[in-house]
């Protein structure tokens, strides 16, 4: 049920719960009812109980439905009305030992800045940290440790693969190459459109001639540029960037040149996410790919250290628990079958940004 605050979502869910129990004969404990906060779960619990209790005592309710409502009220302690985090925790606890996790794990903040700093200090003489020191504005190991910790917290969890960051790095590399080819073709199309439009220009001004010269320079660069950037060396990528940045991509003066101006704006890098602007972005990433890949390996090593500590301490974040619960349901057929058999219906109180 998705609706605005105060519009009656909770009562709709409570009435639907009663309808499933009374009209469909579904046992109250066979309905999994989820919400996002403890306060909402408590309110939902009370509202559903009150609704069932009302129908169990109302004279106009048919006998069978009334009896079902009474039975649900009597067995209400068995119902599953809980937060998503609570349900995820209950799922994970059933198979925690299979993943080397203590079944008595706790939920909460797992941030540990001192662990990150110790890890950075241990590797401070290695190229990856030295490179971070040189590229970091402050050159501060404390800041590098803080950035490292934030990366781990925001982009990984206990459910992540051991080579999580390396996979992300390689995926981005493939993505850059795919998008390079697409934008490469867009540049060629832009050059073709410019050439056609230039032939139709009634009066070639000095500024228009300059545009012609600049597009000739662009065409020369593209003629010597591979369509597949994966084969390009760092020096080739730098030469491409230098060549593009040496072109000013000026606009012609005067009226009646709107088509030419639109074509130039669609290509030149200074107008944001244009085809050449995108290609420069991909080129910059690929130039630094070796460093990026090295940093990804560094992140994966630290992530494994953090996750091992989580297993030992039993202190897990909410994302650890939710992602591990999902992983367990996917990977453990017996657990999945058990949860499928446990419930006939699932209701979610509301959908929010974090659903």
């Amino acid at each position: 049920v998705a609706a605005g605050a105060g519009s009656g979502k909770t009562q709709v869910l409570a009435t639907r719960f009663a309808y499933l129990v009374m009209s469909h004969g579904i046992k109250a404990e066979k309905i999994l009812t989820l919400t996002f906060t403890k306060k909402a779960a408590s309110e939902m619990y009370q509202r559903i109980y009150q609704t069932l209790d009302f129908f169990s005592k109302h004279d106009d309710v048919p006998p069978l439905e009334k009896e079902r409502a009474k039975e649900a009220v009597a067995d209400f302690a068995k119902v599953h009305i809980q937060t998503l985090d609570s349900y995820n925790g209950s799922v994970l606890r059933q198979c925690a030992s299979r993943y080397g996790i203590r079944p008595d794990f706790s939920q909460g903040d797992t941030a540990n800045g001192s662990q990150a700093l110790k890890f950075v200090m241990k590797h401070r003489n290695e190229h990856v940290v030295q490179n971070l020191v040189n590229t970091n504005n402050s050159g501060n190991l404390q800041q590098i440790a803080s950035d490292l910790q934030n990366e781990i917290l925001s982009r990984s969890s206990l459910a992540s693969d051991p080579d999580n960051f390396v996979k992300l790095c390689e995926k981005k590399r493939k993505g850059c190459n795919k998008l390079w080819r697409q934008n490469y073709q867009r540049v060629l199309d832009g050059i073709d459109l410019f050439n056609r439009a230039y032939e139709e220009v009634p009066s070639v001004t000095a500024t228009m001639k300059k545009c012609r010269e600049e597009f000739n320079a662009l065409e020369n660069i593209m003629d010597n540029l591979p369509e597949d950037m994966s084969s390009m060396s760092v020096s080739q990528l730098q030469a491409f960037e230098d060549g593009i940045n040496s072109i000013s991509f000026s606009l012609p003066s005067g009226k009646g040149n709107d088509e030419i101006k639109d074509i130039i704006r669609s290509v030149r890098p200074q107008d944001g996410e244009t085809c050449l602007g995108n290609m420069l972005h991909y080129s910059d990433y690929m130039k630094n790919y070796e460093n990026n890949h090295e940093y990804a390996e560094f992140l994966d090593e630290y992530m494994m250290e953090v996750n091992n500590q989580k297993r030992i301490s039993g202190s897990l974040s909410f994302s650890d628990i939710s992602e591990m619960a999902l992983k367990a349901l996917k990977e453990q057929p017996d657990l999945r079958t058990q949860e499928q058999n446990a419930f006939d219906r699932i209701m979610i109180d509301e959908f929010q940004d974090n659903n």
Side-chain angles (χ1 to χ4, degrees):
V1 175
S7 57
K9 290 190 300 296
T10 303
Q11 189 56 51
V12 167
L13 266 293
T15 305
R16 182 194 282 171
F17 192 106
Y19 167 75
L20 291 172
V21 169
M22 296 164 61
S23 299
H24 286 259
I26 298 173
K27 297 293 184 181
E29 63 266 26
K30 298 284 280 184
I31 303 172
L32 175 61
T33 306
L34 301 172
T35 186
F36 284 85
T37 65
K38 291 180 180 179
K39 181 180 178 182
S42 176
E43 182 184 352
M44 178 69 72
Y45 188 94
Q46 293 178 18
R47 194 76 65 87
I48 291 174
Y49 180 86
Q50 291 167 356
T51 302
L52 286 168
D53 187 53
F54 171 80
F55 286 125
S56 71
K57 298 173 181 177
H58 201 285
D59 294 337
D60 293 337
V61 176
L64 179 59
E65 282 85 342
K66 191 171 186 178
E67 186 59 31
R68 287 171 174 170
K70 285 181 179 179
E71 183 181 337
V73 170
D75 294 336
F76 204 70
K78 299 178 182 178
V79 298
H80 299 274
I81 302 170
Q82 57 196 127
T83 64
L84 278 165
D85 289 323
S86 172
Y87 176 68
N88 290 334
S90 68
V91 169
L92 182 56
R93 280 190 173 85
Q94 295 177 66
C95 63
S97 59
R98 302 183 195 183
Y99 294 98
I101 301 170
R102 291 169 46 172
D104 62 342
F105 62 80
S106 60
Q107 297 178 338
D109 184 11
T110 61
N112 189 342
S114 63
Q115 185 179 3
L117 184 58
K118 288 177 183 176
F119 183 79
V120 171
M121 291 298 293
K122 183 173 71 175
H123 295 275
R124 64 185 180 278
N125 294 323
E126 296 179 15
H127 177 265
V128 61
V129 174
Q130 289 300 310
N131 188 51
L132 290 171
V133 169
N134 293 332
T135 55
N136 189 288
N137 290 332
S138 64
N140 189 318
L141 292 179
Q142 181 75 53
Q143 183 60 50
I144 291 171
S146 177
D147 292 343
L148 181 68
Q149 186 70 17
N150 289 336
E151 285 272 13
I152 296 299
L153 290 175
S154 63
R155 299 176 61 199
S156 72
S157 75
L158 195 57
S160 299
D161 291 333
D163 54 352
N164 174 61
F165 288 97
V166 166
K167 283 183 177 178
L168 289 173
C169 185
E170 292 171 350
K171 182 179 180 181
K172 187 170 182 179
R173 184 174 187 263
K174 291 178 181 177
C176 281
N177 193 41
K178 179 181 178 180
L179 293 170
W180 171 279
R181 290 195 299 269
Q182 293 174 1
N183 285 275
Y184 178 97
Q185 186 57 51
R186 286 172 58 196
V187 175
L188 297 184
D189 292 341
I191 292 172
D192 186 52
L193 288 172
F194 177 87
N195 291 338
R196 293 181 189 180
Y198 187 83
E199 294 298 324
E200 303 296 325
V201 173
S203 177
V204 178
T205 62
T207 55
M208 185 63 77
K209 284 182 179 179
K210 185 178 181 184
C211 293
R212 171 73 279 174
E213 291 170 0
E214 290 179 342
F215 264 74
N216 284 341
L218 174 60
E219 195 164 3
N220 288 333
I221 291 172
M222 298 303 294
D223 285 343
N224 296 294
L225 192 67
E227 186 176 358
D228 187 340
M229 74 181 305
S230 63
S231 63
M232 295 176 67
S233 65
V234 172
S235 59
Q236 285 177 305
L237 291 167
Q238 187 61 57
F240 161 71
E241 292 181 21
D242 292 342
I244 295 302
N245 290 327
S246 69
I247 303 174
S248 61
F249 292 100
S250 52
L251 298 174
S253 60
K255 297 181 179 180
N257 294 319
D258 291 343
E259 184 181 4
I260 293 278
K261 290 178 181 178
D262 288 342
I263 293 169
I264 295 173
R265 290 193 182 103
S266 72
V267 172
R268 66 181 188 174
Q270 54 263 55
D271 281 316
E273 294 186 6
T274 62
C275 44
L276 278 177
N278 291 335
M279 290 179 75
L280 287 174
H281 174 71
Y282 308 142
S283 175
D284 184 63
Y285 180 80
M286 291 304 297
K287 270 195 320 180
N288 294 290
Y289 181 73
E290 293 302 322
N291 287 335
N292 292 333
H293 195 274
E294 183 182 47
Y295 183 55
E297 292 175 336
F298 185 64
L299 286 169
D300 279 333
E301 184 181 345
Y302 180 59
M303 179 189 70
M304 292 301 294
E305 185 175 297
V306 168
N307 286 345
N308 287 336
Q309 181 60 34
K310 287 177 181 178
R311 289 186 175 91
I312 294 169
S313 68
S315 179
L316 310 185
S317 69
F318 289 106
S319 61
D320 288 329
I321 295 168
S322 63
E323 291 182 30
M324 281 302 303
L326 179 59
K327 182 182 178 72
L329 287 171
K330 287 180 176 180
E331 295 179 352
Q332 309 296 332
D334 59 324
L335 176 64
R336 185 168 63 251
T337 300
Q338 176 184 301
E339 292 302 301
Q340 288 171 340
N341 293 337
F343 306 108
D344 292 333
R345 295 289 188 277
I346 300 175
M347 295 198 298
I348 302 177
D349 178 28
E350 58 185 312
F351 289 90
Q352 298 182 352
D353 290 341
N354 62 342
N355 70 345

